[in-house]
């Protein structure tokens, strides 16, 4: 997630059991280590600080005193589950999904996850279950469509979306991954309404037109496990792409010395939009 605090611009990246705050002006990363569980997503909070998904908990975070407050715990009957990706919708609700714990990257018990929504009043609703790996999500520019990825479906899906209530309906696929694109992971939208999808094991991000179902652009990266993407920079014209190194054998690691790094892509000719803040 891209974050602007005064004159400080930074990329907030959940990274295992901590959050990295990576500045763009040559400053050293700042770390937040809030808990003994994995941090999978983080978002700005309108009232100050942040919200995050930690293990199976929705939480608030205070970066200054390194404190964490639990708001709600999900999947209490599934001790091996954890949250994965999450994002705030245009009305300030926090959408986030779960998955089973992996025994190896991409290897897990199927259909154990769900998609949840944390409302600004503190209530939580499960929208659907039987999810494999709940992943990328975003909303159309007119706020009428919700885009969603369950990674092992190898599809980018769309739902009708009601801005006033947050309800979703009429699920359908808008893009099926090609063989060389491998697994769809994190996702964001640009100011032309096109989707950018990180391709795990594919070493690339792709730009899609959700109306036509066509791939418009491919940007390859020197790390095959590309995990997510978001626009940032002062005018949101830079695309930041995260990557992972877990699961790579020594030979692949030697050939991919930049695996696990954050990449900045410029000159794309499009911009992103600012992230929405949680309204609670």
């Amino acid at each position: 997630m891209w974050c602007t605090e005064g004159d400080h611009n930074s990329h907030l990246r959940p990274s295992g059991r901590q959050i990295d705050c990576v500045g763009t002006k040559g400053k050293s990363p700042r770390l937040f280590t809030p808990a003994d569980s994995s941090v999978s997503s983080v978002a700005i909070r309108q009232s100050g600080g942040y919200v995050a998904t930690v293990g199976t908990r929705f939480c608030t975070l205070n970066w200054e005193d390194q404190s964490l407050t639990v708001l709600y715990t999900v999947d209490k009957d599934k001790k091996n589950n954890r949250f994965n990706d999450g994002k705030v919708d245009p009305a300030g609700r926090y959408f986030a999904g779960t998955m089973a714990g992996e025994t190896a990257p991409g290897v897990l018990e199927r259909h154990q996850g769900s998609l949840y929504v944390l409302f600004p009043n503190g209530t939580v609703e499960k929208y659907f279950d039987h999810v494999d790996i709940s992943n990328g999500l975003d909303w159309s520019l007119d706020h009428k469509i919700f885009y969603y990825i369950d990674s092992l479906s190898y599809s980018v899906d769309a739902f009708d979306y009601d801005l006033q209530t947050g309800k979703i309906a009429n699920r359908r696929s808008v893009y099926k991954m090609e063989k060389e694109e491998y697994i769809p992971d994190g996702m964001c939208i640009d100011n032309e309404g096109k989707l950018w999808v990180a391709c795990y094991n594919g070493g690339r991000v792709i730009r899609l037109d959700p109306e036509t179902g066509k791939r418009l652009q491919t940007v390859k990266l020197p790390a095959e496990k590309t995990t997510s993407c978001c626009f940032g920079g002062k005018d949101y014209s830079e695309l930041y792409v995260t990557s992972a190194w877990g699961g790579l054998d020594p030979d692949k690691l030697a050939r991919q010395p930049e695996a696990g790094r954050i990449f900045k892509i410029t000159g794309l000719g499009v911009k992103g939009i600012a992230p929405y803040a949680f309204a609670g």
Side-chain angles (χ1 to χ4, degrees), residues 23 41 57 68 90 102 119 145 167 186 194 207 219 249 260 269:
S41 71
R57 296 164 290 176
L68 176 150
E102 295 171 294
F119 289 81
I145 300 173
K167 297 298 184 183
K194 306 303 188 287
R207 185 182 189 229
V219 180
D249 61 36

Side-chain angles (χ1 to χ4, degrees), residues 39-131:
V39 183
S40 61
S41 71
V42 61
I44 302 166
R45 191 181 185 194
Q46 282 183 9
S47 59
Y50 303 90
V51 286
T53 49
V54 182
T56 54
R57 296 164 290 176
F58 283 109
C59 302
T60 62
L61 305 179
N62 185 314
W63 199 287
E64 299 307 318
D65 64 11
Q66 298 276 297
S67 64
L68 176 150
T69 302
V70 177
L71 299 175
Y72 195 92
T73 302
V74 305
D75 288 0
K76 292 181 180 180
D77 59 331
K78 296 180 178 179
K79 300 301 183 183
N80 194 40
N81 272 22
R82 66 170 178 85
F83 270 115
N84 199 38
D85 208 350
K87 191 174 288 185
V88 175
D89 80 352
R93 310 174 190 93
Y94 195 3
F95 282 58
T98 59
M99 58 181 283
E102 295 171 294
T103 57
V107 180
L108 73 166
E109 186 177 356
R110 301 286 301 270
H111 311 308
Q112 297 303 301
S114 300
L115 180 69
Y116 291 93
V117 179
L118 171 65
F119 289 81
N121 65 3
T123 61
V124 172
E125 185 174 341
K126 180 193 288 188
Y127 273 21
F128 54 81
D129 53 17
H130 293 284
V131 173

Side-chain angles (χ1 to χ4, degrees), residues 141-159:
L141 301 184
D142 63 5
H143 303 161
K144 292 183 178 180
I145 300 173
F146 169 58
Y147 297 109
Y148 176 74
I149 290 172
D150 179 357
S151 288
L152 297 189
S153 72
Y154 295 87
S155 173
V156 179
D157 291 350
F159 295 78

Side-chain angles (χ1 to χ4, degrees), residues 111 115 141 173 192 218 263:
H111 311 308
L115 180 69
L141 301 184
S173 177
E192 295 181 356
T218 299
F263 301 93

